[in-house]
Amino acid sequence: MLSLVIILLIVTIVIICRWYLSYVHSSLYWCWDNGNEEKRIFIDTDNISFPENFLWGTAAASYQCEGPGDKVPVASNWSQWEPAGIKHGQRCGMAVDHYHRYKEDTQLMRTLGCNAYRFSLAWDKIEPIEGQYDKDILAHYHDELKELHRQSIIPMITFHHFVHPLWFEQRSAFLNSSNIETFVRFVIDMFREFEDECHMWCTINEPEVYVSGGYFNGVFPPGHKSQANEASLVLQHLLQAHVEIYDNIKKIARQPEQHSIGIVKDIFQFDPWNPLNPLDIYASRILDHGMNGCILDFFRTGSLKWTMPGSIHRTYVNLRAPYTNDFIGLNYYSHFLIRFNLFKQPPFEILHRQDDSGSSLMTDMPYALYPEGLYRACVRLKNELPRIPIYITENGIADRYDDRRHLFLRRYLYALSRAINEAHCDIRGYFYWSLIDNFEWAEGYHMKFGLYHVDLQTQERTLRDGAKYFQYVIQKHREKYEKKNL
Ligand code: BGC
């Protein structure tokens, strides 16, 4: 009798576990057209639509694409970090000389059909010596903005995209709370300078990536490793700076209601490798909270709680925070699967799916193709920060052979459309990363994210075949509304 009960119990547990696994699986992974699961519906990726005034753009950061311009290269945290911190000892150098070629590049945006462009101001070039702004560089950005307007491209400016002047780095950058006001002062001055030419502003690009690269993994300057205390402080100071920037701009703007200001948050989900293993679940939750949850909580509640089990618990409260985003910029690339492993330091591994489904296809970066994650990230923002519009401020694929870009765009744009139409997320635009191949930080020039391939010797740009789907979607979108409005 007892053995019968035990057998029944085991069978029940197995059934429940299998049911749970298939439930988790189907909520994490969609059945794409190469799927093999009978019960789920195959996806028609042509079935997409976007709101009429949707912004279609590309995104870039000054350091990654501009090159030094007309002057000798100025010193920044990144120029100092090279080449030792870059794969194969590469240097950013001329990059793709966007500084001189912005007119031609704006024309490339038009060729794609884009109507928006996100780029960052090079603080290192603008203020190479503390307190002295370089008038030529400011004039250059005025010219670039003028050209964007001339070609009907709406600009979105980022104030901090990983790079700042060396003098700021030498004073410990955002690790030192007294430097916050220096950055805020720079931002206010830039806002005053450009407020007539730009109405969309991103304060800080991916604070948690800047923090983890610089103070955890050591792959970004200043290259510190596993410094939980520093990392949590830097994160706090960046968020503090964001709030101050928002409040200051709204105070000084001539027409505050005309200006939209937001932070750019990257959401890389951390999912458990084995959804039945409590240790995998625990490790993935800790990581997700440290990289995503704590920042979203801060903007929902005003309270930042950053925890590293067994070492740091940092709390910072700023009740203004929930009112300081007119939009959220969402950067989305992929997700990670986390497996707890006591023999590793830190005690987990990052893995990727290994099966024959589309979601286990890898990009050249160690990221899986995971459009479902873009949908999940949009829904998460909608739930956790309700009523704040979203722009997809970055999404793109490193694809040297251009053999996955078409599929990437097809599926991610489908996921985006589904987030808008099925989950009713208020998404106002999509910026592909990036217009042209560029300097991919610690990875150097090996990662080819561009819709346009560039020959670094001749600087010639060529549209990639895989990118044509982007052009096609934008064109269809325009035609649809043109017909409707006839
Ligand atoms: C950054 C970009 C970077 C891209 C691709 C984002 O985290 O904002 O600067 O090039 O990812 O790795």
Side-chain angles (χ1 to χ4, degrees), residues 391-410:
Y391 287 95
I392 309 302
T393 35
E394 280 181 39
N395 175 236
I397 179 172
D399 176 13
R400 183 176 302 116
Y401 302 114
D402 196 34
D403 53 2
R404 289 144 290 166
R405 192 168 277 101
H406 174 94
L407 189 71
F408 176 95
L409 282 162
R410 188 172 262 283

Side-chain angles (χ1 to χ4, degrees), residues 73-198:
V74 292
S76 68
N77 54 336
W78 269 89
S79 70
Q80 188 201 33
W81 178 242
E82 296 171 9
I86 316 296
K87 279 202 181 145
H88 314 291
Q90 285 184 336
R91 301 206 72 128
C92 180
M94 281 304 285
V96 294
D97 197 22
H98 177 72
Y99 190 91
H100 290 118
R101 292 167 190 265
Y102 68 88
K103 288 191 179 158
E104 173 190 345
D105 291 345
T106 310
Q107 180 57 53
L108 301 181
M109 298 172 204
R110 289 302 303 167
T111 306
L112 290 168
C114 289
N115 60 354
Y117 178 49
R118 171 180 172 233
F119 66 103
S120 70
L121 296 177
W123 184 11
D124 51 334
K125 287 195 187 93
I126 295 175
E127 196 181 357
I129 299 169
E130 187 179 3
Q132 295 181 23
Y133 293 140
D134 184 323
K135 296 227 163 42
D136 297 339
I137 306 290
L138 293 176
H140 163 81
Y141 283 121
H142 283 296
D143 290 346
E144 182 162 355
L145 283 159
K146 199 164 150 200
E147 180 65 15
L148 288 167
H149 288 296
R150 195 184 70 75
Q151 299 210 41
S152 307
I153 305 272
I154 298 169
M156 177 187 256
I157 286 182
T158 309
F159 292 118
H160 191 274
H161 196 130
F162 300 163
V163 181
H164 42 245
L166 187 60
W167 56 262
F168 188 72
E169 182 71 12
Q170 283 165 343
R171 286 211 232 134
S172 305
F174 293 100
L175 186 55
N176 185 342
S177 63
S178 60
N179 291 335
I180 298 174
E181 65 178 298
T182 309
F183 174 56
V184 175
R185 183 263 304 146
F186 165 75
V187 170
I188 292 173
D189 289 346
M190 291 308 106
F191 175 79
R192 286 205 169 104
E193 182 79 30
F194 298 110
E195 78 174 297
D196 294 334
E197 291 135 286
C198 181

Side-chain angles (χ1 to χ4, degrees), residues 91 98 134 186 204 376 415 459 479 483:
R91 301 206 72 128
H98 177 72
D134 184 323
F186 165 75
I204 294 162
R376 287 172 60 200
Q459 290 291 354
E479 282 170 7
K483 261 189 217 144

Side-chain angles (χ1 to χ4, degrees), residues 31 54 89 109 127 248 383 429 439 483:
C31 192
F54 202 69
M109 298 172 204
E127 196 181 357
N248 272 291
N383 292 338
F439 178 73
K483 261 189 217 144

Side-chain angles (χ1 to χ4, degrees), residues 64 161-162 205-206 331 333 365 394 433 440-441 449:
Q64 293 178 270
H161 196 130
F162 300 163
N205 182 66
E206 303 180 345
N331 289 358
Y333 287 91
M365 292 290 270
E394 280 181 39
W433 183 275
E440 179 50 37
W441 308 117
F449 276 94

Side-chain angles (χ1 to χ4, degrees), residues 59 118 156 202 204-208 262-269 291-292 296 325 327-334 371-382 385 388-396 412 415-416 419 425-433:
R118 171 180 172 233
M156 177 187 256
C202 302
I204 294 162
N205 182 66
E206 303 180 345
E208 79 293 346
I263 196 148
V264 172
K265 174 76 192 83
D266 157 276
I267 294 189
F268 236 107
Q269 294 99 353
M291 293 293 279
N292 301 317
L296 300 184
N325 284 296
F327 67 86
I328 294 286
L330 170 63
N331 289 358
Y332 191 83
Y333 287 91
S334 187
E372 295 91 325
L374 174 60
Y375 176 88
R376 287 172 60 200
C378 292
V379 173
R380 180 171 183 183
L381 284 181
K382 178 191 164 206
L385 298 174
I388 302 187
I390 302 166
Y391 287 95
I392 309 302
T393 35
E394 280 181 39
N395 175 236
Y412 276 79
L416 185 64
C425 298
D426 181 4
I427 302 168
R428 310 259 173 109
Y430 174 90
F431 294 76
Y432 179 87
W433 183 275

